[in-house]
Amino acid sequence: DVKVTQSSRYLVKRTGEKVFLECVQDMDHENMFWYRQDPGLGLRLIYFSYDVKMKEKGDIPEGYSVSREKKERFSLILESASTNQTSMYLCASRTTDRGTDTQYFGPGTRLTVL
Amino acid sequence: SQQGEEDPQALSIQEGENATMNCSYKTSINNLQWYRQNSGRGLVHLILIRSNEREKHSGRLRVTLDTSKKSSSLLITASRAADTASYFCATDGQGAQKLVFGQGTRLTINP
C-alpha cells in the first residue's frame, strides 16, 4: 500500500512565524502536491513538484514556498504565517506510470495561525 | 479555475438506500476520478473512469460519464453508515499532470 505521511496532524503557530509542513511518501512517486482545503472552497492546489528539485506553482502559491531535495520528501513553507493561512493542508503523491493518474493523500495537517 | 462542481452539496439518506451524486466539469478531460474523505482525514481514491468509457463499477459503486454533457455521476448502492463522508470528483486537463477538485458532496447515512 502507498503510504503518504505528514509531519503533524495539528499545528498551532503565531502570526509571523516561519512554518514547515513536511510530507513523505514511500512509493518512489515522481509527482507530489500540496493542497489547502477550506469550507466552501474545496481543495485548491498550492504547489506541485514533478521531480526532485522541480516545482511549479499551483492556483494559490502566494505566501508559500516549497522544497523537494529528495524524491520522497516535499516540504511546504510558510515564510511568515498569517491568520488567513489557517486551513487544512493536504499532501499527495502520484506516479507518472502511464495509465495511472491516482493521487494518494496523506492524513492532512490542520494548521491554526493565531 | 474550478473544474468540477458537485451536486448536491449535501445529501442525507437512510441506511440501505441508494445515494447518487453528480459532477459537472467545463473542459475536455482524459479521465475523471472520485475520491472519498472521512471527516478530518485525507482523501481516498475510489474509482477512475476514462473519457472513452461510459460506465464503470467497483463493488457497490457505479460511475457514469457523459462527455457530451461534461458530467459524471457516482451511485452508491445499499448505503451503510460507514459511507458517511464527503465525496469529491476530480478532473485532469488533457496532458496536464494536476487534478482539479470540486467542492464535494457531504453524504450522511442515517441508521
Side-chain angles (χ1 to χ4, degrees), chain A residues 9 37 40 99 101 103 106, chain B residues 31 33 35 37 40-41 50 103:
Chain A
R9 289 297 314 281
Q37 183 178 23
D101 289 317
Q103 291 192 13
Chain B
N31 61 63
Q33 303 179 50
Y35 287 79
Q37 183 181 35
R41 310 292 297 186
R50 302 203 179 278
Q103 294 185 14

Side-chain angles (χ1 to χ4, degrees), chain A residues 14-30:
Chain A
R14 296 205 174 274
T15 301
E17 280 192 78
K18 190 168 186 176
V19 182
F20 292 86
L21 302 183
E22 304 284 339
C23 175
V24 177
Q25 50 95 2
D26 67 357
M27 284 301 292
D28 203 36
H29 284 173
E30 293 82 5

Side-chain angles (χ1 to χ4, degrees), chain A residues 37-53:
Chain A
Q37 183 178 23
D38 303 286
L41 296 176
L43 274 76
R44 293 180 291 167
L45 181 64
I46 305 171
Y47 267 97
F48 71 100
S49 168
Y50 45 92
D51 210 337
V52 178
K53 297 191 187 293

Side-chain angles (χ1 to χ4, degrees), chain B residues 3-4 7-8 17 19 29 35 50 53 60-61 65 71-72 78 81 88 97 100 105 108:
Chain B
Q3 175 79 306
D7 172 57
E17 293 181 343
I29 61 172
Y35 287 79
R50 302 203 179 278
E53 297 175 310
R60 293 184 296 113
L61 305 181
L65 179 64
S71 67
S72 173
F88 295 85
Q97 293 173 303
V100 179
T105 293
T108 302

